[in-house]
Amino acid sequence: MNSTVEHLKAKFEQALIAAFGTDMAGTDPMLVPASNPKFGDYQSNAALSLTKKLGKPPRAIAEAILGYLDVTEICNPPSIAGPGFINFSLKPTYLEGQLTSIQNDPRLGVAQAKQPQRAIVDFSSPNIAKEMHVGHLRSTIIGDSIARILEFQGHDVLRLNHVGDWGTQFGMLIAYLREVCPEALTTSDAIELGDLVAFYREAKQRFDGDEGFQETARQEVVKLQSGAEDTRKAWQLLCQQSRREFEVIYDLLDVHLKERGESFYNPFLPDVVKDLAESGLLVESDGAKCVFLAGFTNKEGNPLPLIVQKSDGGYNYATTDLAALRYRIGQDKAERIIYVTDSGQANHFTQVFQVAKRAGWIPNNVKIVHVPFGLVQGEDGKKLKTRSGETVRLRDLLDEAVVRFRGYLEDKIKEENREETEEFKSHVATVAGISAVKYADLSQNRNSNYIFSYDKMLATIGNTAPYLLYAYARIQSISRKGDINFEELEADGKIMLQEETELVLAKHLLQLGEVIRNVEQDLLPNRLCLYLYELSEKYNQFYNQCPVLKAEASVRKSRLTLCAITARTLKLGLSLLGIPVLDRM
Ligand code: ARG
């Protein structure tokens, strides 16, 4: 099904051609949703933007277009406003028809991408032997939602976890563990990630102050790189221990992705350097191999280098990303590659992308983007910490959200004199608590920093997950109260839009596709959140104004169908954010 805007655009183009000739083909009708209901539903300022090209005043252009514009099926007669805007108001009969056609469509009328792509979303990507921190949590939540939206649009998505599982620090850690906790290197469950992180810190201290130890650590690195069996085994155990902890978080969040860590690209690193040399970009500077970057200068104003091989022969984070980029384009056949990390890595990605482009590794059909996000701050506006000043463990952070929602739920159940099972309470609290954390993250424009506040995210009013979950559950309660099967109803419901609030709700319901397509392009899930929040508000206004169960039979059926479509829209939209719904809570 074509969306309303697409319908209008096609008609508009026909009229332009009829009025001003075939070279108008492809002209952008500049149709946008009207900013104010008094301008109708959509507004075009094409007439204004065409004045130069056509050498006519905008109102005359608008009039000429209207002379040929046939949109009677969709709109009331369009009107010209101000200097030459054209306003469109959708007809109730058109809206009724559109809603009827989405009733039996599991996709609610949202068209799939016309050209499905092979897409890679590189997200989450924590580091081995380090705690997964809130930055990784943001990446996990945002990346998962982006992947879900692209999948829903029919793209072939590869979700990659670019885990930091390689580097000289492993030599240091292994050398240290051989001394203080050798069993960690031979048995798979000797220590926990928390201990590992502490050992890592101690190893670093030791490394910084002890030259003898530095040499031992370096030997371990050489052994690791040359594939010495005991060192390899030790490294693998460290990876497994960390992975176990990461899995706990992924399970809680219901996020699934494929681990392909930095070590995977080791065999391809020498070729990166070799091919850069062949392309003439590589320069040796103080023994290091590097590419001088355009647009990046040091304090003295000289171009900055991107080092791809250090003087000791070691490779860098950037080298691995260059190798990964080549692999993803060459082997995975990716056409769109999306990297979700905090904005602190923006320079890193700009530099890597620049070098890859200059080396000619990025074909024209491939789009690569960094999707940055801001910091997570505590309520004091500073970096998020526990009360005692330590970094917050993600596990604890998610558990706390669940515990707090559980407290709220228990009170509510008591207040309402309900009897609920333990299973019910625990399920509702888990879904609402975890969803609240996800939604708080997704509903902000990801580019800004966000303040982590349990009170705000768990509130049952406002733009929060609990609010939307309750909105959904309330609609389901209508079907229970009226003993109505929404699915059966939707199969043959006839929709009649009479009241203003019904029309407003209907128009909003029909905008889902536009919103999803926007997010598919701009990768800003907060737009979808806002859409869902506004949907619940518009639904509430409708529900307050229009009796549903008590209405006369045909009106009742139509209104119940509106309820059913709203519920399905909420459910679908939330699922694209990684949030499941609850029928009752
Ligand atoms: N492991 C990195 C970190 O924790 C993130 C990796 C992001 N992905 C990439 N291809 N560089 O900062």
Side-chain angles (χ1 to χ4, degrees):
M1 186 179 96
N2 277 337
S3 70
T4 304
V5 203
E6 280 168 62
H7 275 309
L8 285 178
K9 277 188 177 165
K11 297 277 187 193
F12 204 95
E13 194 182 349
Q14 284 166 15
L16 269 172
I17 292 171
F20 300 109
T22 47
D23 65 332
M24 299 307 290
T27 306
D28 182 1
M30 310 191 68
L31 267 172
V32 290
S35 54
N36 185 322
K38 73 173 188 242
F39 304 134
D41 300 308
Y42 290 93
Q43 191 168 57
S44 159
N45 61 359
L48 285 94
S49 72
L50 286 169
T51 42
K52 262 232 181 84
K53 178 163 177 187
L54 296 171
K56 289 190 168 68
R59 277 196 83 96
I61 297 176
E63 274 157 22
I65 296 172
L66 287 197
Y68 291 97
L69 189 62
D70 175 17
V71 287
T72 39
E73 272 171 34
I74 309 175
C75 310
N76 299 322
S79 61
I80 301 174
F85 296 110
I86 305 178
N87 294 341
F88 299 89
S89 299
L90 302 174
K91 270 185 184 165
T93 47
Y94 167 79
L95 295 167
E96 288 164 2
Q98 293 290 100
L99 282 178
T100 306
S101 72
I102 68 174
Q103 264 167 241
N104 297 307
D105 178 4
R107 296 184 56 88
L108 286 157
V110 180
Q112 295 216 7
K114 290 198 183 77
Q115 285 173 322
Q117 284 182 317
R118 172 78 163 155
I120 289 181
V121 187
D122 170 324
F123 69 107
S124 194
S125 309
N127 302 313
I128 300 291
K130 292 192 189 163
E131 208 74 78
M132 200 171 172
H133 56 67
V134 276
H136 296 123
L137 180 69
R138 269 207 107 171
S139 174
T140 309
I141 292 171
I142 296 171
D144 178 56
S145 174
I146 288 176
R148 283 171 188 264
I149 289 166
L150 296 182
E151 282 152 4
F152 178 71
Q153 286 304 83
H155 300 291
D156 176 14
V157 181
L158 182 58
R159 303 154 153 256
L160 288 183
N161 201 357
H162 192 81
V163 174
D165 63 355
W166 198 253
T168 47
Q169 73 271 24
F170 286 99
M172 180 182 86
L173 185 60
I174 292 171
Y176 187 70
L177 286 171
R178 279 202 204 287
E179 275 180 38
V180 300
C181 184
E183 60 277 19
L185 303 175
T186 50
T187 30
S188 72
D189 48 11
I191 51 171
E192 295 194 351
L193 183 59
D195 306 324
L196 207 54
V197 173
F199 282 134
Y200 186 90
R201 217 177 297 129
E202 289 164 23
K204 177 91 177 79
Q205 268 167 13
R206 178 77 188 280
F207 185 88
D208 290 340
D210 180 341
E211 272 178 34
F213 181 71
Q214 282 176 18
E215 187 43 41
T216 324
R218 236 169 258 133
Q219 279 161 16
E220 288 291 355
V221 175
V222 174
K223 279 172 74 189
L224 184 61
Q225 280 168 346
S226 61
E229 208 176 312
D230 66 325
T231 308
R232 270 288 158 129
K233 170 105 199 288
W235 168 73
Q236 264 157 6
L237 282 175
L238 295 180
C239 291
Q240 268 171 34
Q241 270 144 5
S242 299
R243 207 173 280 140
R244 268 209 313 264
E245 291 275 324
F246 300 158
E247 286 301 330
V248 174
I249 306 289
Y250 295 139
D251 283 349
L252 273 172
L253 295 173
D254 188 24
V255 168
H256 306 279
L257 69 177
K258 179 180 161 111
E259 181 176 327
R260 200 199 268 168
E262 294 183 20
S263 63
F264 175 88
Y265 302 100
N266 280 342
F268 311 111
L269 300 176
D271 273 355
V272 169
V273 179
K274 187 171 131 266
D275 292 352
L276 282 175
E278 268 164 29
S279 69
L281 289 176
L282 201 72
V283 178
E284 251 195 74
S285 166
D286 293 332
K289 299 196 168 102
C290 56
V291 177
F292 281 98
L293 296 157
F296 287 90
T297 49
N298 61 15
K299 277 191 235 97
E300 289 78 42
N302 300 319
L304 263 184
L306 180 75
I307 298 177
V308 291
Q309 191 169 20
K310 293 181 281 190
S311 53
D312 66 4
Y315 300 99
N316 283 336
Y317 183 48
T319 326
T320 306
D321 261 323
L322 285 168
L325 197 49
R326 281 159 42 115
Y327 190 92
R328 292 167 181 186
I329 295 172
Q331 306 300 311
D332 296 323
K333 309 280 176 231
E335 299 168 275
R336 189 178 190 191
I337 310 179
I338 293 163
Y339 297 80
V340 189
T341 78
D342 64 286
S343 41
Q345 297 200 32
N347 277 346
H348 163 75
F349 285 110
T350 313
Q351 295 173 354
V352 166
F353 297 169
Q354 181 195 113
V355 170
K357 269 184 202 138
R358 282 164 61 198
W361 296 342
I362 309 198
N364 287 335
N365 68 323
V366 177
K367 295 271 167 294
I368 43 179
V369 287
H370 177 219
V371 166
F373 54 80
L375 300 173
V376 183
Q377 299 165 314
E379 296 200 57
D380 54 3
K382 297 204 190 100
K383 208 176 146 192
L384 192 67
K385 292 219 177 73
T386 60
R387 252 187 229 123
S388 53
E390 289 146 52
T391 44
V392 187
R393 288 184 54 210
L394 293 192
R395 183 71 208 274
D396 298 342
L397 184 140
L398 294 168
D399 287 349
E400 172 85 15
V402 173
V403 168
R404 291 199 188 204
F405 194 83
R406 170 91 186 218
Y408 165 82
L409 186 67
E410 302 258 6
D411 290 348
K412 188 172 150 79
I413 289 173
K414 211 177 274 159
E415 218 179 273
E416 294 173 354
N417 277 324
R418 284 154 54 188
E419 287 290 335
E420 300 290 359
T421 62
E422 169 55 32
E423 201 190 340
F424 172 88
K425 287 188 268 193
S426 129
H427 179 65
V428 170
T430 307
V431 169
I434 305 274
S435 301
V437 175
K438 286 191 180 185
Y439 192 87
D441 202 325
L442 293 166
S443 57
Q444 304 275 326
N445 181 315
R446 58 174 163 74
N447 289 299
S448 23
N449 295 344
Y450 104 87
I451 296 194
F452 191 95
S453 156
Y454 286 116
D455 289 342
K456 280 209 187 103
M457 67 178 70
L458 293 169
T460 51
I461 41 171
N463 190 9
T464 66
Y467 173 75
L468 291 177
L469 290 172
Y470 273 115
Y472 180 85
R474 262 196 304 273
I475 305 181
Q476 296 305 318
S477 79
I478 299 172
S479 88
R480 282 192 296 273
K481 231 189 275 161
D483 196 17
I484 291 141
N485 180 331
F486 274 164
E487 274 160 40
E488 276 168 24
L489 179 86
E490 272 194 277
D492 73 338
K494 161 122 182 48
I495 293 177
M496 300 177 295
L497 302 169
Q498 293 157 337
E499 300 297 324
E500 184 57 26
T501 53
E502 289 178 300
L503 284 164
V504 169
L505 176 62
K507 285 174 193 169
H508 199 78
L509 284 168
L510 292 168
Q511 278 162 17
L512 178 67
E514 277 161 54
V515 173
I516 291 179
R517 267 187 295 282
N518 273 332
V519 184
E520 185 187 351
Q521 295 303 315
D522 304 344
L523 310 176
L524 289 168
N526 58 302
R527 292 174 182 231
L528 178 56
C529 296
L530 185 64
Y531 169 83
L532 295 173
Y533 175 57
E534 287 177 351
L535 175 62
S536 331
E537 288 194 314
K538 287 176 178 169
Y539 170 81
N540 285 343
Q541 281 150 11
F542 149 76
Y543 193 71
N544 289 337
Q545 297 287 315
C546 303
V548 176
L549 288 174
K550 294 204 175 94
E552 155 286 298
S554 64
V555 177
R556 178 177 192 262
K557 202 163 177 188
S558 162
R559 290 187 178 160
L560 280 167
T561 310
L562 271 181
C563 294
I565 299 177
T566 304
R568 264 202 309 133
T569 306
L570 280 173
K571 183 173 178 176
L572 175 64
L574 286 170
S575 80
L576 298 179
L577 302 171
I579 296 179
V581 288
L582 295 161
D583 283 342
R584 214 165 63 76
M585 60 191 287

